[in-house]
Amino acid sequence: MSDQKTPTLVIATHKGGAAKTTTAVNVAAEFGRAGLKVLLIDLDPQANASLHVGKQHPANVPVTMAKLLRGDVALLPDAIHEETTLPNVSLIYASIDLDLVNEDLRNSAPRPSEELKMKLEPVAGLFDVIVIDTPPALNLLTRNGFAAATHVLIPVESGSQYALYGVTDLLTVMNSIKRINPSLKNLGALLVKHDERQTVCRLLSQLAVESFDTVVPIRISQSTKVNQASISKVSISMLDRSNKVAREYTELADYLIDEMGLKRTKSRKKPAPRKSDRKEAEA
Ligand SMILES: Nc1ncnc2c1ncn2[C@@H]1O[C@H](COP(=O)(O)OP(=O)(O)OP(=O)(O)O)[C@@H](O)[C@H]1O
Ligand SMILES: [Mg+2]
């Protein structure tokens, strides 16, 4: 069964504002740009990924993740929306009532961490890759993300002195899921909002190496273009392909394509070289 599982990347950390959604959306966009057929799943009641790439407001979507998790697997085709603002990326919307589903699963589901995995079984073979965004919590929604995934990526905000608080709990939850999902692979920490010139960022990257077995070799810098892209409902590449963070997300997607054994169908055009990356990162 696990051999047939669609390669599935869950982006998770209990820390709020650590760029989970930004990473999920931009990695999904870059996978799509490489010609892969992508399903983006929003597991966060805040619905930020849905607001970013969805063409509808989550409140107007009849079959959201909440309805799918509570309901029958037959709802799956209606839950998948092919129309998003990103080429080749389909979306299962989140909505605010996902918070209540977290409680429902705890109280009544026979296998509370495996509802998503079961609901996704029929998508096997329909997508090249699935990307899951999760809430800033080590709750049942996040556990469902771990149980349904093949790979985990943990964004770590490198400019924050509190970035590594609770890492042991995060790793404990992830490892506990390995009992039901033994092939889950931890791709390690992804340093985000990174600025090599700042002492705290350099310190954090050393500590991240000690805390996680693996730290992804690509760092994501800071740029105001990240916010601009989400306001404009596009990826950073779509807004400005030569932006430093856009290029870093392209490199990250290429790294993940290799790590997850995905087969790209299109080669991307390389952006023109720039005079100064540093100015761009500060823009
Ligand atoms: N590389 C970056 N440079 C500048 N700002 C960034 C960068 N990455 C993310 N941000 C900004 O940081 C904020 C938090 O990012 P994001 O929403 O992706 O985090 P999150 O982990 O999904 O948050 P939550 O825990 O609330 O779900 C957003 O305003 C986003 O635009
Ligand atoms: Mg988020």
Side-chain angles (χ1 to χ4, degrees):
M1 183 70 221
S2 65
D3 300 1
Q4 291 156 13
K5 209 166 168 182
T6 307
T8 302
L9 178 70
V10 63
I11 297 167
T13 168
H14 55 293
K15 298 297 283 185
K20 291 179 287 299
T21 303
T22 302
T23 301
V25 165
N26 284 284
V27 163
E30 293 303 318
F31 283 162
R33 215 153 65 77
L36 297 170
K37 200 164 183 293
V38 187
L39 176 62
L40 176 63
I41 294 181
D42 191 349
L43 264 188
D44 182 359
Q46 298 180 97
N48 292 348
S50 307
L51 290 164
H52 190 151
V53 311
K55 292 215 163 171
Q56 300 178 55
H57 191 278
N60 300 328
V61 173
V63 184
T64 57
M65 196 70 240
K67 196 150 184 186
L68 180 64
L69 285 175
R70 278 183 167 137
D72 194 88
V73 69
L75 289 168
L76 183 68
D78 291 332
I80 298 175
H81 292 255
E82 285 184 14
E83 278 281 293
T84 69
T85 62
L86 306 178
N88 289 338
V89 179
S90 299
L91 170 70
I92 301 184
Y93 283 79
S95 50
I96 197 92
D97 52 343
L98 255 179
D99 236 351
L100 303 173
V101 175
N102 190 57
E103 285 307 303
D104 292 352
L105 291 176
R106 184 190 315 281
N107 296 330
S108 54
R111 287 188 283 169
S113 300
E114 293 176 85
E115 278 299 314
L116 178 64
K117 187 174 104 181
M118 290 188 293
K119 295 286 158 60
L120 289 181
E121 270 166 16
V123 300
L126 299 182
F127 293 93
D128 297 313
V129 61
I130 300 174
V131 178
I132 305 177
D133 186 24
T134 58
L138 295 176
N139 60 12
L140 267 175
L141 293 167
T142 301
R143 284 170 174 271
N144 268 272
F146 286 143
T150 55
H151 296 79
V152 187
L153 187 63
I154 303 165
V156 171
E157 198 182 334
S158 82
S160 160
Q161 69 271 45
Y162 307 119
L164 296 175
Y165 175 71
V167 162
T168 316
D169 302 279
L170 171 67
L171 295 174
T172 304
V173 169
M174 196 165 66
N175 288 329
S176 75
I177 295 290
K178 285 198 173 166
R179 269 185 284 131
I180 53 176
N181 184 9
S183 57
L184 182 67
K185 186 166 181 222
N186 181 7
L187 296 173
L190 169 72
L191 293 170
V192 296
K193 306 185 193 178
H194 186 75
D195 182 350
E196 199 57 39
R197 293 165 302 172
Q198 286 187 31
T199 312
V200 64
C201 290
R202 290 200 303 274
L203 203 62
L204 241 299
S205 49
Q206 280 166 25
L207 292 173
V209 173
E210 288 164 25
S211 300
F212 295 90
D213 284 343
T214 322
V215 175
V216 174
I218 294 123
R219 315 268 193 261
I220 307 293
S221 310
Q222 291 217 30
S223 169
T224 53
K225 290 273 164 74
V226 172
N227 259 330
Q228 279 180 40
S230 61
I231 290 166
S232 309
K233 294 179 132 260
V234 293
S235 69
I236 309 162
S237 280
M238 287 161 80
L239 186 75
D240 177 0
R241 194 167 290 182
S242 59
N243 174 270
K244 187 177 184 197
V245 174
R247 286 187 283 128
E248 289 163 348
Y249 273 117
T250 306
E251 280 174 40
L252 175 64
D254 286 343
Y255 173 81
L256 294 171
I257 284 170
D258 289 344
E259 288 292 310
M260 296 175 72
L262 306 174
K263 298 216 175 354
R264 68 168 68 246
T265 55
K266 259 198 311 205
S267 61
R268 297 191 192 85
K269 278 190 196 150
K270 287 218 161 103
R274 292 177 62 84
K275 278 191 190 142
S276 164
D277 283 339
R278 181 170 290 185
K279 263 192 194 152
E280 182 62 53
E282 287 170 351

